Amino acid sequence: MTAPILEATRIVAGYEPGLPIVRGASIAAKAGEITAILGPNGAGKSTLIKAIAGLVLVSSGKITLADADITETPAHQHIRQGLAFVPQTENVFAGMSVEENLKIAVHILPKAARADRLEKTFALFPDLARQRQLLAGRLSGGQRQMLAAARALVVEPRVLMLDEPSAGLSPKFVASVFAKLVEIRQIGVAIVLVEQNVRAALAIADRAYVLVEGENRHEGTARDLANDPNVAALYFGAHTERAA
Amino acid sequence: MNLQFVADGLAMGAMIGLGAIGLTLTYSILRFANFVHGEFIAWGAYTGLVVANGLIVLSPKSGSFGPFSFGWALLIGLFAAMLCGVALALLVDKFAFKQLRMQSNTIVLVIASFGLSLALRSLLEFFVTSQPAYYSRDIQMAVPLGLGVRVTPDQLLVLALAAGLLVVVHVILTRTHAGRAMRAFSENPLLAEVAGIDGAAVVRMTWALGGALAAASGVMLGITVQIRPTMGFDMLLPLFAAAILGGIGSVPGAVMGGLIIGLAEAGGVQLFGGSYRAAVAFLILIAVLLVRPNGLFGRRP
Amino acid sequence: MILDIFAYGTFFLATALTYAIVCLGLNLQWGQTGLFNVGVAGFVAIGAYTSALLTTPATPGRFGGYGLPIAVGWILAIVVAAAASWCVGKITLRLRADYLAITTFGVAVVIQLVALNAEPLTGGPFGIGFIPRPFASLAEQVALYDVLHLLLVAAVLAAVYLVLERLAGSPWGRVLGAIREDEEAAVSLGKDANGFRLQAFVLGGAIMGLAGAIQAHFIGFIAPENYLPALTFQVWAMLIIGGSGNNRGAILGAILVWGLWSFSGAAIGSLVPADFQARAATLRIVVVGLALVSILLWRPRGLLPE
């Protein structure tokens, strides 16, 4: 058993002081694994990874990355420590070309390493390599998600966190985005995935956490959770609620 | 009407455009209408005046270049003015806006900038009095260009200088990391932070670039028109009109907007006389806001 | 000596209370409705010029000069300022707050241009003189005249204050507050947000026009340089320092800031050599600006918060 590379312990976080949305949730993620964070609407999943990314105020709890405490680190320093985050929407610079999107991100690396990393990333995303000069705003929805992931991966992070990469995509694109995540896992990156699409997420995840009202409700291997009737009840319950 | 207004309008428009670049950048990155921007123009013009006059006193023989009304002294003055613009912009941010940004809403920032611009102008007037000043009192002969258009050598040089600065700005914004970071931050500050861009550094760079360009346009205004403490304040409406016409956040838009405003003002002056020059920019501003509030090159609503 | 202080005190208060009326108008627009007017000086100027043109004796080569009674001048000052506010508001109120700021700023600049250049209408740079004063028959007895004038201004201020307080507590006032806090919710309740905004903007502009007229008849002459952007800034400083959203705060702010302005003027007068005073006088705006920034940092909601 390897130790987790990213650990968030008893996190309390929210947008306004005194109104926490995440209330003591904890997660851990290991290198070479996909960790899914699931739960009904309003469970605090997105707020939790935004808090880990440094974008939401953390009022208590501790976040460590490879044993270094990053709870107080400003957001723009996270990527330098190897923690990359892909927001759910507006996750590319639409007014800049595909290449410029990556150039901005790769700049934190030493000068000698940049060109090489850029080409390696394009090799991983051949679709993007064909459209280097295209404005990111002109990409299709699926390709935007790819560019957003590429922007995060170009600096070889140790942890890649994605907020609902499947949102707004057609099933075909969801499949290709998730297939790409499986490919990225093989490089040894720890992937943390927040998803509404429970079935698709459990299909590729190794471990998963189910959050309800800002707290951990269930956790375990993806296979166990996929077969857990309680999780299914939450999942279908959420769907019935949404349909109503 | 003859085509003279084209030449005058382009020269004026280039200076409005230079000033509007900084305004549009600070507007899109800091997200408030900054009335202080005009003062960078006036302070820049006077810094140029003080430095150039000082150099001429030290070395009276320096003279002027060929057909132009000024020489090395004013070029060094221009450089000093741009430095002053950078310093003033950074000081204003550090001691006023940085504090207010953290605890107040946009409106308070706008009113504070309005007050600060009046205060800076009063301070300038205190030092230099309200009398107009000139870099050179020589009368320049205008050269006929054909089609009834006459320009002074100074006007041509100002146009060339403005074009040169625009190229520099374009290179900075598209070819350097600092420029890309500024564009990225103006488009999406949250994503920029996530991508490792230090927002505070971007804000400082934006102020510095805007201050330098505004000061440069102040020196050029001083060369072709005259230097007064209110010159920056009088430029505010044209600057805002140019920035909004071009689309907030768009640098090419600000330049285009500046040229259009400059041409319209010059045309208006030719038709109706100079008294209502400032009203031209205002009318264009209103028209743009009503018809196309995102401007010619605006990105989003 | 005591008489001097008394005379100065009444003069000071009369001016401060006139500012307080302007400040109440701005409070209705900004404090209660959230409309960002950076052209206050323009609306004050419209009121002053309207009343002055109608009540002065005929002047060759200039419009107006009908010698109408002062009361008629004031009423028409209100009407014309309201009409001008309606035109400006109709065009600009649907714009974003900071665009509204820029356009109202532009409006004030254009009004200033007209005042300066349209000589047949406004008297140009020299302005308009011989504006009749209320209680003119008592002008010989300066002290009594000033006291009566102060009472008149105070009465107008009290009336405006009472009307505004009444309105603020009325259903109309509550709708304004609702629109300012959450426009979408107010609109979803069937409120025509822009209609209410326009009403508040027009009423506020009318109040500013009235104050402009009162001031013009108190001083006896007006000129374009009375209505520079510095006036707008003073009124904003008064409102923010006093406490925007609070009518009593607006009045308190007006008295305090006018006090600061006069005091710094007097200080410059006594500390600075005579041939330097005109230059040093420009520094007063720096003093007010510093006061404003300190209040914003130390007590962002003003001395009497809403």
Side-chain angles (χ1 to χ4, degrees):
Chain A
M1 280 302 271
T2 50
I5 179 155
L6 174 74
E7 274 186 286
T9 318
R10 308 207 60 76
I11 300 298
V12 177
Y15 296 92
E16 286 173 50
L19 283 174
I21 297 169
V22 178
R23 302 171 202 172
S26 303
I27 63 155
K30 287 181 185 170
E33 285 191 4
I34 295 179
T35 306
I37 306 176
L38 311 171
N41 269 337
K45 315 179 289 289
S46 285
T47 312
L48 175 60
I49 60 167
K50 282 185 197 153
I52 297 172
L55 300 175
V56 171
L57 201 69
V58 176
S59 47
S60 80
K62 187 176 177 189
I63 304 164
T64 59
L65 181 69
D67 294 327
D69 187 340
I70 59 161
T71 320
E72 306 278 325
T73 309
H76 68 91
Q77 290 289 349
H78 280 76
I79 188 76
R80 290 179 173 76
Q81 314 232 10
L83 178 70
F85 174 59
V86 178
Q88 180 184 346
T89 54
E90 292 178 28
N91 50 19
V92 298
F93 296 110
M96 309 176 89
S97 72
V98 168
E99 190 171 78
E100 280 184 312
N101 266 274
L102 297 186
K103 273 190 172 167
I104 281 188
V106 82
H107 192 265
I108 61 167
L109 298 180
K111 197 164 186 182
R114 289 177 203 160
D116 183 47
R117 277 305 306 156
L118 209 60
E119 290 319 311
K120 284 202 169 121
T121 307
F122 274 129
L124 189 62
F125 295 90
D127 278 3
L128 297 177
R130 282 191 289 275
Q131 325 197 54
R132 287 175 190 228
Q133 301 310 325
L134 192 71
L135 281 187
R138 300 254 168 96
L139 293 172
S140 71
Q143 285 174 331
R144 274 196 202 207
Q145 291 294 3
M146 295 292 190
L147 176 58
R151 194 271 305 148
L153 287 170
V154 71
V155 293
E156 288 191 299
R158 292 182 281 189
V159 180
L160 171 66
M161 302 195 296
L162 304 105
D163 191 357
E164 298 207 32
S166 77
L169 294 185
S170 67
K172 194 185 90 186
F173 279 127
V174 173
S176 68
V177 168
F178 278 26
K180 189 57 81 179
L181 291 182
V182 172
E183 202 182 325
I184 296 163
R185 167 174 59 185
Q186 278 153 12
I187 316 172
V189 179
I191 298 178
V192 178
L193 186 65
V194 161
E195 259 306 332
Q196 290 280 0
N197 192 336
V198 176
R199 203 182 299 263
L202 286 178
I204 60 162
D206 299 284
R207 285 185 65 78
Y209 294 83
V210 179
L211 261 52
V212 175
E213 290 176 1
E215 296 173 354
N216 292 34
R217 177 67 61 87
H218 306 281
E219 59 181 272
T221 64
R223 185 176 305 164
D224 290 349
L225 288 179
N227 297 326
D228 186 333
N230 292 322
V231 173
L234 268 175
Y235 170 56
F236 289 119
H239 265 263
T240 346
E241 263 170 34
R242 233 185 295 167
Chain B
M1 94 185 269
N2 66 34
L3 291 174
Q4 181 62 41
F5 81 95
V6 176
D8 297 340
L10 285 180
M12 190 66 194
M15 292 179 272
I16 297 175
L18 273 186
I21 291 175
L23 191 67
T24 206
L25 284 176
T26 45
Y27 205 144
S28 71
I29 285 179
L30 303 165
R31 287 162 214 279
F32 75 97
N34 177 22
F35 283 81
V36 178
H37 205 77
E39 299 316 309
F40 303 154
I41 293 179
W43 282 71
Y46 276 99
T47 307
L49 182 71
V50 169
V51 170
N53 283 353
L55 287 172
I56 289 169
V57 168
L58 289 177
S59 144
K61 285 197 214 112
S62 58
S64 55
F65 304 135
F68 305 115
S69 70
F70 55 89
W72 281 114
L74 189 55
L75 274 193
I76 297 171
L78 171 67
F79 187 68
M82 291 173 78
L83 285 182
C84 166
V86 170
L88 194 59
L90 291 177
L91 284 175
V92 159
D93 183 53
K94 185 169 168 68
F95 290 107
F97 294 127
K98 198 174 170 191
Q99 318 290 328
L100 292 171
R101 254 202 316 276
M102 279 190 269
Q103 62 174 59
S104 309
N105 57 15
T106 315
I107 304 306
V108 166
L109 285 175
V110 179
I111 273 301
S113 83
F114 190 67
L116 204 55
S117 81
L118 291 173
L120 281 174
R121 178 156 57 94
S122 304
L123 213 55
L124 190 61
E125 213 171 310
F126 174 72
F127 289 129
V128 302
T129 77
S130 54
Q131 295 301 313
Y134 301 87
Y135 291 126
S136 159
R137 292 196 177 271
D138 303 341
I139 304 292
Q140 269 209 314
M141 291 305 287
V143 189
L145 283 188
L147 293 170
V149 179
R150 302 169 71 87
V151 293
T152 63
D154 281 358
Q155 276 182 317
L156 284 179
L157 192 79
V158 160
L159 259 178
L161 214 54
L165 279 174
L166 290 180
V167 171
V168 171
V169 171
H170 181 77
V171 169
I172 289 177
L173 287 176
T174 55
R175 300 273 189 278
T176 69
H177 177 69
R180 281 190 211 108
M182 281 161 66
R183 283 159 61 210
F185 198 84
S186 100
E187 186 181 314
N188 188 337
L190 217 65
L191 186 62
E193 291 274 347
V194 166
I197 295 169
D198 180 0
V202 169
V203 167
R204 283 194 298 273
M205 276 187 304
T206 310
W207 278 109
L209 182 63
L213 292 175
S217 90
V219 172
M220 295 179 197
L221 263 177
I223 293 174
T224 48
V225 192
Q226 62 174 197
I227 314 168
R228 280 170 303 124
T230 53
M231 63 194 285
F233 186 81
D234 293 340
M235 283 287 274
L236 270 180
L237 264 187
L239 291 187
F240 276 123
I244 292 174
L245 174 61
I248 292 298
S250 164
V251 170
V255 176
M256 280 298 293
L259 291 175
I260 294 173
I261 303 285
L263 285 171
E265 276 191 350
V269 168
Q270 200 175 55
L271 288 175
F272 308 110
S275 307
Y276 291 98
R277 172 188 277 270
V280 175
F282 176 70
L283 289 179
I284 295 177
L285 176 71
I286 293 280
V288 174
L289 287 176
L290 291 180
V291 178
R292 204 183 158 92
N294 293 337
L296 299 175
F297 301 89
R299 256 198 316 259
R300 46 162 191 245
Chain C
M1 178 65 194
I2 289 180
L3 212 63
D4 280 355
I5 292 175
F6 179 75
Y8 183 78
T10 47
F11 179 83
F12 167 83
L13 257 187
T15 311
L17 296 188
T18 316
Y19 273 102
I21 299 175
V22 185
C23 204
L24 283 179
L26 182 64
N27 188 38
L28 174 63
Q29 292 180 339
W30 166 246
Q32 266 150 342
T33 323
L35 299 172
F36 196 9
N37 183 355
V38 188
V40 175
F43 298 98
V44 176
I46 288 177
Y49 272 95
T50 305
S51 190
L53 287 172
L54 295 173
T55 56
T56 43
T59 308
R62 201 201 70 212
F63 170 84
Y66 303 127
L68 294 173
I70 294 172
V72 177
W74 287 15
I75 290 170
L76 285 172
I78 295 174
V79 172
V80 175
S85 310
W86 188 86
C87 293
V88 173
K90 194 73 190 162
I91 298 176
T92 57
L93 285 190
R94 57 198 177 87
L95 300 175
R96 274 170 35 189
D98 43 354
Y99 285 179
L100 180 62
I102 297 169
T103 41
T104 47
F105 168 74
V107 168
V109 169
V110 171
I111 291 173
Q112 169 81 16
L113 274 184
V114 171
L116 204 55
N117 292 308
E119 244 170 88
L121 178 66
T122 61
F126 304 109
I128 301 174
F130 305 109
I131 302 171
R133 300 168 168 210
F135 318 116
S137 56
L138 298 168
E140 300 293 302
Q141 294 155 277
V142 175
L144 180 62
Y145 169 81
D146 278 355
V147 170
L148 281 174
H149 183 84
L150 172 61
L151 290 177
L152 180 64
V153 175
V156 174
L157 174 66
V160 172
Y161 172 81
L162 288 176
V163 169
L164 288 179
E165 282 290 300
R166 219 31 196 305
L167 281 174
S170 74
W172 185 80
R174 285 197 293 273
V175 174
L176 288 188
I179 291 171
R180 187 192 58 179
E181 296 305 327
D182 186 350
E183 177 174 345
E184 276 176 37
V187 171
S188 72
L189 290 173
K191 305 297 181 193
D192 166 21
N194 269 339
F196 278 92
R197 280 214 192 97
L198 188 57
Q199 290 162 15
F201 192 72
V202 168
L203 186 53
I207 293 172
M208 293 171 188
L210 172 63
I214 293 174
Q215 178 75 357
H217 288 271
F218 178 41
I219 303 298
F221 64 90
I222 55 176
E225 78 246 25
N226 298 355
Y227 308 102
L228 292 173
L231 170 62
T232 301
F233 179 65
Q234 282 174 338
V235 177
W236 268 97
M238 289 167 179
L239 183 60
I240 293 176
I241 289 176
S244 100
N246 183 330
N247 284 328
R248 264 167 293 173
I251 297 172
L252 174 71
I255 296 171
L256 286 180
V257 171
W258 185 246
L260 186 64
W261 182 263
S262 310
F263 175 77
S264 52
I268 288 167
S270 60
L271 295 176
V272 176
D275 51 347
F276 218 55
Q277 281 187 6
R279 286 171 74 171
T282 61
L283 292 180
R284 289 194 287 180
I285 203 83
V286 182
V287 175
V288 172
L290 285 178
L292 175 67
V293 171
S294 353
I295 285 279
L296 284 175
L297 292 173
W298 164 69
R299 212 183 152 94
R301 293 162 58 79
L303 296 173
L304 294 179
E306 192 173 356

